[in-house]
Amino acid sequence: MDPRRGHFRIVTKMNPIDRTHDPKRRSWVESANGHAEFPIQNLPLGVFSPREGKNRGGVAIGDAIFDMAAAVRAGLFTGAARKPALMAADQTLNRLMALPPSARLALRQRLSDLLSADGADRSAVESLKGELLHPAADCTLHLPAQIGDYTDFLTSIHHAANTGRFFRGGQDPVPANFRHLPIAYHGRASSVRASGEAVRRPHGQHQSRPGEPPTFGPCERLDYEYELGVWIGNGNALGEPIAIAEAGAHIVGHCLLNDWSARDIQRWESQPLGPFLGKSFSTTISPWIVTVEALAPFRVPQPPRSPGDPHPLPYLWDEEDQKGGALDCTLEAFLLTPGLAAKGLPPQRLSRANATDLYWTFAQMVAHHTSGGCNLNPGDLFGSGTISGALADGPGALLELSENGQRPIELASGETRTFLEDGDEVIFHAHCHREGFASIGFGECRGRITA
Ligand code: CA
């Protein structure tokens, strides 16, 4: 199927399908061809450092990282691609993120042509590969931006229903406002870390039994939450909301996000305000920004609301957004325990869901966040909220999978888990597949619990 001839479900104005998505396009970087995460059709943006060297911008291509600083020095970018290329070489990508989507598109098209096996400049570029490419395994990946603000949403109805049942009880466990607005709280940007960094078990106040005084000590119900991260690009002035029809143009791309959660601390402190120390000790993200341009083929209509659900207010409703505002992306969470590792067993899959399980679109999150006048800045980060599917293996958190600790999960090592123990490692993967297109992935989001 030729993606340039219109055999696709959705083409948004902002995210056209072009030669960079052609599934036949191959790279002279051999490891990229058929790569599960980073084929030439992906080209995610990030910040890395080689074994000896400073932080600089790069692009994942197969098992390698394309060094944007070296490529700029070699004069490989001219015209409309030059300015975004300069900024894509920075130590943080905030300046790049502030540019309009057209600049990112020019950069993507030039990168794709430079790395293409059939590119006009192939021999010149390939002759520089010693400087341009670094084996990813020899590099350290960093946060791609200086994150000014981090907001975490609650937008999966299955997750809302499950946690509502465990935390609040009552007739309808879904909060009354959930179907009217994308609920969120302001999180801590300071404790967001790139994949691979250890996560220290937090200490805090928790109440063992209702009515008893709290104690202070290590969290006993440590959990993860599988979310998609949303990277904000160009922002808005204070007092000037972003209309939902424009919201997509303010999103640069996505990453995987683990909103580590101390359930016992969270439960005791969240009365009446929202999450605080139960969440702020750590958030882990996958370090590559998979751009909205790369994700264009995987846009799908937002699933219809259930009969009887209220229609969103006008400021949260846009027909174009409903036609293509959801993302078809398979999300899988794995657990590697010390017991599994000791027996040479692979990480065990805990759950599998899809980003279409979100009740609100990313554009609705942006429109709602700014509707009161709050300004967003380039490099701000949103969490989508835990993405839980409807099926038994769908939940994106142990709280749900273990039914609030009542049903231990059996592992292939003979161990069981209700919540995380020291030494446990949580690993997220996500992939987008679609017939007629090259599959792309997000890379890993990984973190190990330490005492
Ligand atoms: Ca969360």
Side-chain angles (χ1 to χ4, degrees):
M1 190 188 299
D2 184 349
R4 289 159 301 186
R5 291 177 58 192
H7 297 273
F8 38 79
R9 286 166 288 183
I10 288 301
V11 183
T12 64
K13 280 174 288 180
M14 295 312 304
N15 306 318
I17 291 185
D18 61 21
R19 65 183 186 275
T20 66
H21 303 96
D22 185 344
K24 293 196 203 77
R25 184 166 272 208
R26 294 172 65 79
S27 176
W28 52 264
V29 181
E30 272 303 326
S31 65
N33 300 318
H35 197 273
E37 313 281 335
F38 309 128
I40 192 171
Q41 291 81 4
N42 193 344
L43 304 175
L45 306 165
V47 171
F48 76 103
S49 53
R51 205 166 269 162
E52 285 170 24
K54 288 184 192 160
N55 295 11
R56 82 282 306 261
V59 177
I61 178 78
D63 294 334
I65 297 176
F66 183 80
D67 187 328
M68 284 302 300
V72 165
R73 275 199 306 275
L76 296 178
F77 297 92
T78 55
R82 182 167 159 73
K83 188 175 173 187
L86 281 172
M87 295 176 177
D90 282 351
Q91 293 194 8
T92 65
L93 301 184
N94 296 69
R95 287 201 308 160
L96 174 71
M97 295 162 101
L99 295 178
S102 57
R104 279 198 319 274
L105 189 61
L107 173 64
R108 172 179 170 83
Q109 289 174 340
R110 178 61 179 154
L111 278 168
S112 179
D113 294 345
L114 284 172
L115 290 163
S116 168
D118 302 324
D121 304 314
R122 172 176 176 166
S123 58
V125 183
E126 200 173 358
S127 69
L128 296 170
K129 71 178 180 188
E131 293 148 59
L132 296 176
L133 296 181
H134 303 266
D138 294 346
C139 297
T140 305
L141 287 157
H142 307 282
L143 291 180
Q146 185 169 1
I147 304 166
D149 277 299
Y150 160 53
T151 302
D152 194 29
F153 283 83
L154 171 67
T155 62
S156 157
I157 200 162
H158 305 299
H159 176 70
N162 291 334
T163 53
R165 228 175 36 242
F166 301 138
F167 278 165
R168 286 183 303 277
Q171 288 283 318
D172 183 359
V174 177
N177 56 0
F178 181 91
R179 295 176 178 88
H180 293 278
L181 57 85
I183 301 171
Y185 68 93
H186 284 115
R188 284 294 299 180
S190 64
S191 52
V192 179
R193 291 291 186 272
S195 176
E197 189 160 326
V199 175
R200 229 190 295 185
R201 180 180 297 274
H203 284 57
Q205 270 198 33
H206 33 91
Q207 185 188 41
S208 299
R209 282 180 207 82
E212 288 192 359
T215 55
F216 185 88
C219 166
E220 292 170 4
R221 293 161 76 86
L222 186 54
D223 201 354
Y224 66 88
E225 292 192 341
Y226 195 142
E227 310 191 13
L228 272 181
V230 183
W231 286 107
I232 298 300
N234 51 343
N236 58 307
L238 183 66
E240 293 180 15
I242 295 172
I244 186 159
E246 308 300 323
H250 293 262
I251 298 173
V252 172
H254 298 275
C255 63
L256 309 182
L257 185 149
N258 188 338
D259 175 25
W260 303 98
S261 299
R263 300 299 182 197
D264 40 5
I265 299 170
Q266 180 188 358
R267 189 188 175 103
W268 171 239
E269 74 180 0
S270 298
Q271 310 171 36
L273 292 183
F276 185 41
L277 303 185
K279 300 278 194 176
S280 61
F281 58 95
S282 185
T283 303
T284 303
I285 61 169
S286 59
W288 293 108
I289 301 174
V290 179
T291 64
V292 291
E293 291 79 21
L295 291 166
F298 311 104
R299 292 279 164 201
V300 291
Q302 174 68 0
R305 297 178 155 229
S306 297
D309 282 8
H311 194 280
L313 290 168
Y315 81 97
L316 289 173
W317 190 261
D318 177 66
E319 292 295 342
E320 285 297 311
D321 181 45
Q322 292 299 307
K323 282 186 209 161
L327 194 57
D328 183 0
C329 181
T330 305
L331 317 167
E332 294 174 294
F334 297 83
L335 178 66
L336 182 61
T337 63
L340 286 165
K343 292 190 174 175
L345 294 166
Q348 184 161 332
R349 192 171 75 191
L350 294 178
S351 68
R352 184 181 160 95
N354 193 293
T356 53
D357 287 315
L358 291 171
Y359 190 83
W360 297 96
T361 67
F362 305 116
Q364 286 171 321
M365 295 177 205
V366 170
H368 183 65
H369 201 306
T370 61
S371 63
C374 175
N375 53 324
L376 300 176
N377 290 305
D380 281 359
L381 178 67
F382 291 177
S384 64
T386 309
I387 305 173
S388 291
L391 302 176
D393 68 345
L398 286 172
L399 177 74
E400 298 165 72
L401 286 166
S402 74
E403 293 177 14
N404 199 18
Q406 299 303 302
R407 192 177 66 90
I409 297 157
E410 291 177 9
L411 303 176
S413 54
E415 300 164 287
T416 60
R417 285 292 182 275
T418 48
F419 292 96
L420 296 169
E421 297 188 5
D422 293 344
D424 286 357
E425 191 164 19
V426 178
I427 307 155
F428 296 163
H429 284 275
H431 295 94
C432 298
H433 306 285
R434 183 162 161 214
E435 204 185 326
F437 287 89
S439 298
I440 63 172
F442 282 72
E444 274 189 342
C445 178
R446 175 187 279 263
R448 178 182 278 125
I449 306 300
T450 62

